Amino acid sequence: MLSLCCPKLLANRKGETYAMTLTLLESGFPIFAAVSVAALGSLYAYFYSLLFASIALLIWWGGQGRWVELKKRAAYKPLLMTSLFITGLYICLFLALHYTSAANVALILFLQVLFGFLFLGHKKEEQLGKYSLLGALLMMVGAMVVVFPGEVKINIGDGLALLAAMLAPLANLYQKQARLHLSSQSILMVRSVIALPFVLLLAWLLEPSPSFQQVIEQFWPLLFVGVLILVLSKVLWIEAIHLLPITTVSAFFAFTPLLTMLWSDWFLEQPPAWYQWLGAMPIILGSILLTRTLPVKETQNKST
């Protein structure tokens, strides 16, 4: 019995390690992205970050000889849908950072846990425990505090971040399906290369082009977002949801918005507002309840 459980236990521990590492990395995303957005514009900041990511992925992917994986036709549909949802998600996030604070983006994006429950909770492998409803209600209350701080009027940036949070579970679902056929590197490489010309065209149509000097000045923020977030963090994410339920991995993000709020005060000199702290508490507590493990009786039944 122990020999049968060990591989599963080891896989879970591995998935949890990936989830904790990417949580630390993701907490820095809104900060560094906000810096490049302020200097280059939303879509150009995304494009150049994506360019760094694509170059890194092509070198990594090509060096490992992963090109043979693209012959697997069963991966085409989930790969295409992944590219569509992820590109839309990041366009929303980079645009949101032009209109709202990095802390707000981090808090609202964390609602992907709630939307993951609402969209995927009916799936057998994603089902949650009996505290799910209370957790969902708490997250909704926290979201209302952040999005509507004293007035019933939604900021366009908060709305875009909310849309990104809604797209995240769908993107993750298709990524999980694609991972059954392809490696993480292949998934990321294909989706980045597909997105690159589209994002460039959109940026060219909607924003003034930054100068070469402006781009060079943003080298480190772009490199951080491009390589550590769009490559390394996403590899960790895909591997984590390959080993664990999406809702479980999302729960590890509980500390991400808090870390982002601290980084925002430190790097951007934007101390979190009272309503952000107030809204963060039920959002994080709700995520813990939402992804609480199954009752002991159910767990015992599953192990027999």
Side-chain angles (χ1 to χ4, degrees), residues 24-303:
L24 291 173
L25 290 174
E26 287 286 343
S27 67
F29 163 68
I31 306 301
F32 288 95
V35 171
S36 58
V37 164
L40 306 177
S42 299
L43 295 174
Y44 274 109
Y46 180 28
F47 167 74
Y48 284 110
S49 297
L50 195 59
L51 181 61
F52 275 112
S54 299
I55 293 170
L57 285 165
L58 283 170
I59 294 172
W60 188 15
W61 178 79
Q64 293 188 335
R66 298 283 188 180
W67 61 270
V68 294
E69 294 183 0
L70 299 184
K71 295 180 180 180
K72 299 177 181 179
R73 295 181 179 273
Y76 288 2
K77 180 181 177 181
L79 196 53
L80 181 61
M81 297 303 292
T82 295
S83 302
L84 175 66
F85 282 117
I86 287 291
T87 302
L89 185 156
Y90 273 103
I91 286 174
C92 288
L93 286 180
F94 276 88
L95 288 172
L97 286 165
H98 180 73
Y99 296 102
T100 192
S101 68
N104 260 30
V105 168
L107 284 168
I108 295 171
L109 182 60
F110 187 62
L111 292 174
Q112 64 180 281
V113 178
L114 171 62
F115 292 117
F117 163 69
L118 295 176
F119 297 163
L120 307 177
H122 66 283
K123 296 176 69 65
K124 184 178 179 180
E125 69 273 18
E126 301 292 343
Q127 284 180 354
L128 304 172
K130 63 181 181 180
Y131 296 97
S132 301
L133 180 59
L134 177 58
L137 289 173
L138 281 171
M139 292 192 79
M140 288 178 184
V141 170
M144 294 291 285
V145 173
V146 174
V147 176
F148 303 110
E151 58 179 351
V152 186
K153 180 181 178 182
I154 191 167
N155 177 291
I156 186 172
D158 294 342
L160 288 166
L162 192 61
L163 178 57
M166 293 179 184
L167 292 175
L170 300 176
N172 292 329
L173 177 63
Y174 285 110
Q175 282 187 127
K176 190 161 187 170
Q177 292 175 6
R179 182 61 183 83
L180 297 174
H181 309 284
L182 304 175
S183 65
S184 303
Q185 297 95 316
S186 293
I187 295 170
L188 291 170
M189 190 281 299
V190 171
R191 85 181 197 196
S192 298
V193 170
I194 289 175
L196 204 58
F198 175 75
V199 175
L200 177 60
L201 177 62
L202 205 60
W204 180 73
L205 290 172
L206 300 178
E207 295 180 350
S209 301
S211 66
F212 179 73
Q213 182 61 33
Q214 287 176 305
V215 176
I216 292 299
E217 289 173 355
Q218 295 302 309
F219 176 81
W220 292 112
L222 292 171
L223 187 68
F224 178 90
V225 174
V227 177
L228 294 184
I229 300 300
L230 298 183
V231 178
L232 179 57
S233 177
K234 299 315 169 192
V235 168
L236 292 172
W237 176 268
I238 293 172
E239 290 302 315
I241 64 174
H242 179 59
L243 297 170
L244 299 170
I246 294 170
T247 44
T248 299
V249 179
S250 296
F252 278 88
F253 271 57
F255 291 104
T256 301
L258 290 179
L259 288 172
T260 300
M261 290 164 71
L262 294 175
W263 302 153
S264 179
D265 189 10
W266 188 8
F267 288 105
L268 302 180
E269 297 183 352
Q270 296 177 356
W274 64 269
Y275 66 86
Q276 291 172 327
W277 286 116
L278 186 62
M281 295 305 105
I283 287 176
I284 292 168
L285 178 59
S287 75
I288 295 171
L289 291 173
L290 195 62
T291 52
R292 183 167 176 163
T293 55
L294 291 170
V296 174
K297 185 176 179 180
E298 293 182 45
T299 306
Q300 290 174 342
N301 290 339
K302 284 191 171 187
S303 64

